[in-house]
Amino acid sequence: MAAQPTPAPSRCDTDPATTIARLAAWLVDGGDAIVLRHERDGQASVVGSWSPTGAAPTSVDDLSARDGSRAPIVVAGRVWGEIVVRGGGPGPLDDLAGLAAAAIEADAELAAARALIVAGEDRTRRRIERDLHDGAQQRLVNTILMLKLARSELADVDGEGPELVEQALQSAECANRDLRALAHGDAPGILASAGLGRALEAVAELSPVPVTLDVRVAARRLPEQVELTAYLTISEALTNVVKHARASAVHVAVDLAGASLRVSVVDNGVGGADPRGSGLRGLRDRVEAMGGALTVESCAGHGTRLAVKLPIGA
């Protein structure tokens, strides 16, 4: 039986390295292909592979050494890695390697731009938190104290005065809670002082939708930017649930897996969230600026699951 031709790459390929491997195999009709990245210790790691049989190679040894073709991927004047296929000529691979290098350079520039945007957002966030705490929030606290004194002085007075003071006090206390939630939503001081677990408890307490927390990093402090990114991602995800999901429950899980922090936010709402929407796109930019990855599963009628993986050493 004649070998089946390698299928042309399709839009369903989402992993760039796997797409490159598949395209390499298709160009030279060689069947199996891998994309290697050269590490600093001199070793090479497989970052993408393709086989029409479904058993994708995991190392160069898995490919036939005989009739193998290679093409280096050169980024910024240095060999970033290489493309290796079984069979075929090297000609088309050289062109593909050049395209792959351009894509890798563009991705690095995008990551740098995202990091600059995130850094600017963080500086703005901290300034807003200081302004709220030192300005409006302090004045509101003073107002609450004066209203409590007025309520005490009017305790034995007849008429509408005491009732009006009580209503004003309740309104001021509600405004103070809202302002505190706003400040915490930007960059809570509790995150710096007590860690991610306690900060998420505060967020869960303020959520109109019941939140179940499973945080398994409470005894360990993580790098500041990792904790902040996880906190902001979860906070924004819960905000999206309240606004759009029509859910009655949310489960938030945070744990460590090797050198990464894993986060998941799962709701039982209506589903159908658009991963390309502005809210999720902003979250993805923040996560990817930290070298992490964000995925969204949201089938209509079956709720939404947001998963994030952040490298702790970022």
Side-chain angles (χ1 to χ4, degrees), residues 34 57-65 70:
I34 60 177
T58 59
S59 70
V60 177
D61 294 336
D62 291 343
L63 298 176
S64 173
R70 296 171 177 254

Side-chain angles (χ1 to χ4, degrees), residues 16 50-52 60 63 67 72 75 93-94 100-101 134 139 144 171 177 187 212 233 246 270 277 292 301:
W50 172 257
S51 172
V60 177
L63 298 176
D67 298 329
V75 178
L93 286 187
D94 293 333
D134 297 339
R139 289 193 292 273
I144 290 172
S171 178
R177 286 193 297 270
T212 302
T233 300
R246 300 204 294 273
V270 297

Side-chain angles (χ1 to χ4, degrees), residues 147 150-151 154 159-172:
L147 286 170
R151 181 179 62 180
L154 296 174
E160 296 183 355
E163 183 179 351
L164 292 173
V165 169
E166 183 64 32
Q167 290 177 1
L169 177 59
Q170 292 178 6
S171 178

Side-chain angles (χ1 to χ4, degrees), residues 175-188:
N176 189 44
R177 286 193 297 270
D178 290 345
L179 192 60
R180 185 168 63 247
L182 176 62
H184 285 186
D186 281 333

Side-chain angles (χ1 to χ4, degrees), residues 41-237:
D41 59 4
Q43 302 297 314
S45 61
V46 177
V47 294
S49 61
W50 172 257
S51 172
T53 65
T58 59
S59 70
V60 177
D61 294 336
D62 291 343
L63 298 176
S64 173
R66 182 166 47 89
D67 298 329
S69 299
R70 296 171 177 254
I73 301 175
V74 180
V75 178
R78 299 177 61 182
V79 177
W80 179 91
E82 59 183 324
I83 304 172
V84 185
V85 298
R86 184 185 63 192
L93 286 187
D94 293 333
D95 295 334
L96 179 59
L99 293 174
I104 292 167
E105 286 185 293
D107 188 63
E109 291 173 358
L110 177 60
R114 284 170 169 164
L116 288 174
I117 292 171
V118 168
E121 290 177 349
D122 290 341
R123 286 193 296 270
T124 301
R125 182 174 296 105
R126 292 189 180 96
R127 177 181 58 77
I128 292 173
E129 181 191 15
R130 288 194 302 270
D131 291 345
L132 287 174
H133 181 271
D134 297 339
Q137 198 168 11
Q138 288 297 326
R139 289 193 292 273
L140 197 51
V141 168
N142 290 336
T143 300
I144 290 172
L145 292 175
M146 287 187 289
L147 286 170
K148 287 183 176 180
L149 288 173
R151 181 179 62 180
S152 178
E153 291 293 329
L154 296 174
D156 299 326
V157 175
D158 296 329
E160 296 183 355
E163 183 179 351
L164 292 173
V165 169
E166 183 64 32
Q167 290 177 1
L169 177 59
Q170 292 178 6
S171 178
E173 289 177 333
C174 181
N176 189 44
R177 286 193 297 270
D178 290 345
L179 192 60
R180 185 168 63 247
L182 176 62
H184 285 186
D186 281 333
I190 193 173
L191 181 62
S193 61
L196 182 60
R198 184 65 191 91
L200 291 178
E201 289 176 6
V203 172
E205 291 171 1
L206 294 170
S207 173
V209 179
V211 178
T212 302
L213 285 178
D214 182 12
V215 181
R216 304 189 182 186
V217 295
R220 176 180 176 182
R221 292 307 304 269
L222 303 173
E224 177 185 358
Q225 286 299 317
V226 174
E227 289 190 339
L228 180 60
T229 300
Y231 172 86
L232 292 173
T233 300
I234 293 170
S235 297
E236 182 62 25

